[in-house]
Amino acid sequence: MYYIKMDKEKEKVLGKTNTPRRTAAAELRLFLGGKTENRLRTVLQILSKQYREVEIRMSKFFKRSALGAKVPHNKHTSHLETVAMPLPSKIVLSMGQHIGAPAAPAVAKGDQVYVGTVVGKAGGFVSMDIHSGVSGIVDGITTITAPNGAPQTAVVIIPDGKQTVDPDIKPPVVTDLKSLQDAVRASGLVGLGGAGFPAAVKLSPKNLDEIDMLVINGAECEPYITSDNRCMQEDTDYIIKGIQTIMKYLDIPKCVIGIEANKPDDIKKLSEVTKDMPIEVKELPCTYPQGAEKVLIETCTGREVPFPGLPSDVGVIVMNVTSVAFIAKYLETGMPLVTKRLTVDGDIVKNPGNVEVIIGTPIQELLDFCGGLTDEPGKILYGGPMMGTCVADLSQPVLKNNNAILALSQKAAQTPKATNCIHCGRCTNACPLGLSAKEIARAYEAKNVELLYELNGDLCMSCGTCSFVCPAKRPLAQTLALAKIMMKNGGKK
Amino acid sequence: MANKLIVTAAPHITGEDTTQKIMQRVCIALVPTLIASILIFGINALILTAVTVIACVVFEYGYCKLMKREVPVGDFSAVVTGMLLAFNLPATLPWWMAIVGAFIAIVIVKQLFGGLGYNFANPAIVARIALAVGFASRMASYPFPESGVDALSSATPLAAKAGSEAYRALLLGTHGGVLGETCALTILAGGIYLIATKVISPTIPVTYLGTVAVLSLCAGQDPIYQLLSGGLLLGAFFMATDYVTSPTTRKGKLVFGIGLGVVTCAIRFLGTMNEGVSFAILLMNLVVPYIEVLTRQDKLGIAKVKKGGAAK
């Protein structure tokens, strides 16, 4: 009885704390003020806890090294406030800006559209509507080359400069989970961390009652990119509102925001505002790829997402900071996803910075807005240098799931020459998933599909860590991507 | 301009470490020991090292030219092999024997199997063993620094009686032996440099030395003497950690290190030979492929399945 009372008292004190340091301070106060027997009990508890932790760490130590890569941060633009880019001369809205089925054009040449008008209708459950970010006239339906090289239908709109908002735009009424899911679906939101997974699908897990943790991704582990960082600085309130909305309607008791240690300002700011909430801000080590979904879940919750499987299988929903901030904004204004904050950087951009840009703006116009390029470009990237895709021509538009446009000089774009593998094992020890890239690459060259399955080649998420750490500069991540294709095709290259 | 953009698959940046830089660091780590050996054995040590290094580089270059292979210019791996080989030879060894050793290391062990990254065992170790077997008497005639360079053939420190004041001699290297195994201090310094610059992981040296220490205690031998004498330190830090011929995972390194310790002690305590390190490393090199397969890492989210169950 006495112990129960003690625990309740302890809970009362500890319940108000949310950072590890505050919890520790409160525990110390309780400890010093308590009776001898309680002190002894606490010491024993701490010891057993420590022992468990050491045990877990030791088992983890030999499970897999998962050292990650010490990539250069290059976060030159982290202190630069977001600037809005003026209207472009045209916007090109690709119908495939998300994972899943592409949308179908819902307008025809000559149609009048407004800001927020649906121009592409979702092509299925795992798909998303596409909205116009300008008011103007549809110039036509064309075909562009998607980042993966495949042709993609796109709607071209010429702005009229008035930016008239679609009369149908009004804040959605959200009263329960269903209406929240519908609202998010109508907002056209896709995972803004880069993968572009439709957000409404994420918020509709099959095992809703098993979800007990919301993990918010503020890791931003890719070099150069600072758009999530700016979001955490500029839209802090929206992030918190978004988190609270999701926690409320999905009935999730706990939330962890993971932020890499190279963003101390964000960690400080978010820790301050979440002081009295069941939201923990977790500092993540600065090793790429902390922001990869499975790695983030493991670091934040200690849970391993099974393969094949989804985060919901271990009771977790992961969302990007920018995505949750957008949900809160959408619920306030009803304006769908038509603009995006992008980091424009790279060694040849004249004025690097963070730009709020209308989705569909051609990259050439965005680069011109940033002062143009100081040198002949070697590579232009959608996204960061670790996982970003190359842009084949500058007339290509900005997509929903972009968080950066990088321009690299001819020199920086050169691929170093690959030499013999020296079996240093850096790829194996760096892989966040515990794969052995050198073994998989060798099995691929030998076309040994059975061995590829034994080595779990299909688990690879193409984060690029193995290629980055390889001292022989071998294109391991690229080979592993080919190996995955070979596994799908049953042995053919 | 639009069509001049380069399009490749991600990632678009790579780390700063290269094979060349790694090999250069190994060379730097070996320099203190080289200086120590010159101080102990005289200028002969430097000449012998120069001969093996040049011979190794020339053999590598010549063989690659002859086979019309791309010459791995400047990756420094031949230099490392040359230095390690020299460190395994007594200072009085005739130069032509050293050149034979270089030929065995570079051409037979390394290039015939496919060059850098394909050798089945550490080239310097195989060359040392081949020379020790082929020129047994010259390889075993260790010069004693006290009595000048051209010294008498005598027992190695391992064969000599252990004494407490012997520790100092072993640490400083003022005793008989081959070039690189006498001065324990400089080898330790080089090893620590390699660990600090992340060229090698401490797992193999620590488990190797630890196993030898424990087994020495069990066998009633003096563990400190066992650790400091013979080629153990050189082997543990520089030869056993050779990337190509050691396992890559933490578990594998642990198994490898313990295996090395057991074999070394078995040869030292039970065999008739004094030096077990070379044979232990060679033996363990040969089982590395098996260790690799049996000590793979656990992958994130993959439930452990019995062997063969994963393949569909």
Side-chain angles (χ1 to χ4, degrees):
Chain A
M1 188 59 209
Y2 179 75
Y3 284 136
I4 294 167
K5 206 177 135 200
M6 259 305 289
D7 276 346
K8 269 191 182 158
E9 206 170 287
K10 200 173 164 184
E11 229 180 81
K12 228 163 78 187
V13 181
L14 294 181
K16 286 182 187 156
T17 62
N18 60 338
T19 65
R21 195 181 290 171
R22 277 202 199 91
T23 313
E27 267 188 12
L28 188 70
R29 273 202 303 282
L30 276 176
F31 176 68
L32 292 175
K35 285 186 180 171
T36 318
E37 52 179 297
N38 288 329
R39 284 186 205 167
L40 196 68
R41 197 164 141 260
T42 316
V43 168
L44 283 175
Q45 269 178 356
I46 290 172
L47 280 181
S48 71
K49 204 174 150 192
Q50 288 294 324
Y51 174 74
R52 260 211 319 277
E53 249 170 45
V54 168
E55 208 184 353
I56 291 167
R57 265 197 208 162
M58 279 308 285
S59 78
K60 173 91 203 290
F61 186 84
F62 286 113
K63 245 183 181 176
R64 59 182 162 268
S65 313
L67 297 174
K70 296 269 179 209
V71 296
H73 298 305
N74 289 338
K75 306 265 187 193
H76 313 123
T77 53
S78 60
H79 59 284
L80 295 174
E81 268 185 40
T82 313
V83 285
M85 183 184 157
L87 276 185
S89 66
K90 65 168 181 182
I91 62 168
V92 181
L93 290 168
S94 166
M95 292 294 114
Q97 306 192 27
H98 45 255
I99 288 179
V107 289
K109 188 175 174 176
D111 281 4
Q112 169 76 41
V113 293
Y114 302 102
V115 181
T117 306
V118 175
V119 295
K121 213 66 202 127
F125 178 69
V126 184
S127 184
M128 265 296 150
D129 288 348
I130 311 281
H131 303 82
S132 168
V134 295
S135 65
I137 305 291
V138 176
D139 191 49
I141 316 275
T142 60
T143 305
I144 60 163
T145 313
N148 63 5
Q152 186 61 262
T153 316
V155 174
V156 183
I157 302 166
I158 306 290
D160 56 14
K162 291 181 202 145
Q163 286 303 85
T164 325
V165 175
D166 194 297
D168 289 342
I169 298 288
K170 53 178 182 297
V173 184
V174 172
T175 49
D176 57 357
L177 177 62
K178 178 77 178 50
S179 52
L180 176 72
Q181 287 166 347
D182 288 345
V184 172
R185 179 162 287 279
S187 76
L189 176 64
V190 299
L192 298 180
F197 192 75
V201 181
K202 247 186 212 180
L203 294 181
S204 320
K206 288 191 185 95
N207 53 343
L208 186 63
D209 42 337
E210 284 169 31
I211 307 289
D212 62 348
M213 183 79 93
L214 176 65
V215 174
I216 301 297
N217 190 350
E220 201 162 54
C221 53
E222 277 262 12
Y224 290 104
I225 308 180
T226 59
S227 57
D228 283 350
N229 165 57
R230 285 322 299 174
C231 175
M232 287 187 268
Q233 287 294 321
E234 293 166 20
D235 300 337
T236 321
D237 296 342
Y238 283 121
I239 294 175
I240 303 302
K241 261 188 225 164
I243 291 173
Q244 284 171 331
T245 310
I246 294 169
M247 286 171 81
K248 183 176 156 198
Y249 290 112
L250 273 82
D251 198 19
I252 303 174
K254 266 184 296 176
C255 170
V256 185
I257 308 177
I259 306 173
E260 248 189 47
N262 61 7
K263 290 179 274 294
D265 293 348
D266 300 342
I267 296 172
K268 202 168 144 226
K269 193 157 187 185
L270 282 166
S271 310
E272 267 166 28
V273 287
T274 58
K275 231 176 1 208
D276 303 320
M277 303 171 195
I279 301 172
E280 187 198 333
V281 176
K282 194 169 171 73
E283 183 177 312
L284 308 172
C286 286
T287 48
Y288 180 87
Q290 280 301 319
E293 197 169 64
K294 288 177 181 177
V295 180
L296 184 75
I297 293 173
E298 204 202 5
T299 328
C300 288
T301 68
R303 301 175 194 178
E304 282 189 25
V305 181
F307 177 81
L310 290 169
S312 57
D313 293 340
V314 288
V316 178
I317 288 182
V318 184
M319 293 200 90
N320 184 269
V321 274
T322 310
S323 302
V324 286
F326 171 76
I327 290 178
K329 267 189 211 171
Y330 178 72
L331 297 183
E332 208 174 283
T333 63
M335 179 55 71
L337 185 64
V338 293
T339 64
K340 183 78 216 292
R341 180 190 282 111
L342 290 180
T343 301
V344 182
D345 201 353
D347 56 349
I348 51 165
V349 174
K350 198 162 180 210
N351 304 319
N354 285 293
V355 184
E356 182 87 35
V357 55
I358 293 168
I359 291 162
T361 301
I363 290 170
Q364 179 71 62
E365 292 192 33
L366 174 62
L367 290 174
D368 289 344
F369 174 70
C370 291
L373 303 176
T374 56
D375 198 2
E376 194 81 341
K379 274 182 192 171
I380 307 287
L381 302 178
Y382 277 131
M386 292 300 285
M387 284 189 83
T389 43
C390 285
V391 176
D393 98 63
L394 290 175
S395 63
Q396 300 229 1
V398 167
L399 305 174
K400 277 182 186 178
N401 56 342
N402 288 159
N403 36 27
I405 299 289
L406 298 186
L408 302 178
S409 63
Q410 293 277 358
K411 194 165 156 268
Q414 294 307 320
T415 317
K417 201 173 153 296
T419 54
N420 278 5
C421 170
I422 54 170
H423 301 267
C424 61
R426 288 180 191 212
C427 50
T428 312
N429 288 303
C431 179
L433 304 178
L435 297 172
S436 179
K438 72 176 173 78
E439 282 184 89
I440 297 174
R442 216 181 325 163
Y444 167 75
E445 273 150 27
K447 296 189 186 175
N448 188 342
V449 179
E450 203 176 311
L451 184 56
L452 282 175
Y453 273 105
E454 202 182 313
L455 297 167
N456 296 105
D458 46 353
L459 178 64
C460 172
M461 56 181 178
S462 302
C463 65
T465 306
C466 45
S467 290
F468 181 86
V469 297
C470 181
K473 309 292 162 204
R474 297 184 75 75
L476 293 166
Q478 294 88 331
T479 313
L480 261 59
L482 293 173
K484 269 167 94 170
I485 297 170
M486 186 193 270
M487 288 169 82
K488 253 185 221 160
N489 296 347
K492 282 188 254 28
K493 283 206 181 184
Chain B
M1 187 186 85
N3 289 325
K4 278 191 201 157
L5 291 173
I6 302 169
V7 176
T8 59
H12 308 285
I13 49 170
T14 52
E16 287 183 349
D17 266 359
T18 58
T19 305
Q20 188 187 5
K21 276 188 195 165
I22 289 171
M23 295 295 175
Q24 280 169 351
R25 281 189 206 134
V26 178
C27 290
I28 292 170
L30 286 170
V31 166
T33 309
L34 177 62
I35 294 170
S37 71
I38 297 169
L39 292 178
I40 296 165
F41 298 108
I43 197 73
N44 247 17
L46 182 64
I47 295 171
L48 191 66
T49 310
V51 166
T52 52
V53 169
I54 292 168
C56 280
V57 173
V58 167
F59 281 133
E60 175 126 315
Y61 183 86
Y63 186 87
C64 290
K65 274 271 169 236
L66 193 72
M67 300 311 288
K68 297 194 172 62
R69 253 187 225 166
E70 202 178 330
V71 181
V73 192
D75 74 1
F76 277 80
S77 67
V79 178
V80 170
T81 305
M83 283 179 92
L84 282 175
L85 175 61
F87 285 8
N88 276 300
L89 305 174
T92 50
L93 195 78
W95 298 347
W96 68 268
M97 286 187 189
I99 293 172
V100 170
F103 179 81
I104 294 168
I106 293 295
V107 177
I108 294 181
V109 184
K110 190 176 167 193
Q111 290 297 345
L112 282 185
F113 285 87
L116 181 66
Y118 292 97
N119 44 301
F120 68 97
N122 189 320
I125 283 285
V126 178
R128 174 189 176 149
I129 291 173
L131 291 181
V133 172
F135 310 113
S137 63
R138 293 310 295 264
M139 282 292 284
S141 76
Y142 300 128
F144 269 79
E146 294 96 323
S147 35
V149 180
D150 296 313
L152 9 110
S153 172
S154 163
T156 74
L158 264 179
K161 218 172 134 194
S164 58
E165 71 274 15
Y167 293 159
R168 213 175 121 251
L170 284 168
L171 272 176
L172 296 176
T174 52
H175 60 86
V178 297
L179 286 194
E181 22 177 83
T182 53
C183 185
L185 278 180
T186 53
I187 298 171
L188 273 174
I192 289 165
Y193 169 79
L194 287 186
I195 292 169
T197 51
K198 303 228 160 109
V199 172
I200 60 170
S201 110
T203 318
I204 291 175
V206 169
T207 48
Y208 187 5
L209 299 176
T211 309
V212 170
V214 170
L215 287 180
S216 304
L217 271 178
C218 296
Q221 304 271 349
D222 179 358
I224 300 176
Y225 190 83
Q226 289 295 335
L227 288 183
L228 294 180
S229 60
L232 185 58
L233 283 177
L234 184 75
F237 283 107
F238 291 97
M239 321 277 269
T241 54
D242 171 29
Y243 289 148
V244 184
T245 54
S246 66
T248 47
T249 61
R250 280 177 179 158
K251 268 186 281 186
K253 285 183 169 132
L254 198 76
V255 172
F256 186 68
I258 293 171
L260 282 170
V262 170
V263 177
T264 305
C265 287
I267 296 177
R268 277 191 178 180
F269 303 151
L270 307 174
T272 49
M273 259 174 303
N274 290 320
E275 183 51 67
V277 174
S278 316
F279 283 103
I281 293 175
L282 178 61
L283 202 70
M284 291 307 290
N285 280 171
L286 299 181
V287 295
V288 162
Y290 300 98
I291 298 178
E292 280 277 79
V293 170
L294 294 173
T295 59
R296 284 190 187 128
Q297 304 189 96
D298 293 356
K299 288 139 221 160
L300 195 146
I302 304 271
K304 271 204 167 169
V305 268
K306 280 189 184 145
K307 208 175 180 300
K312 270 162 232 155

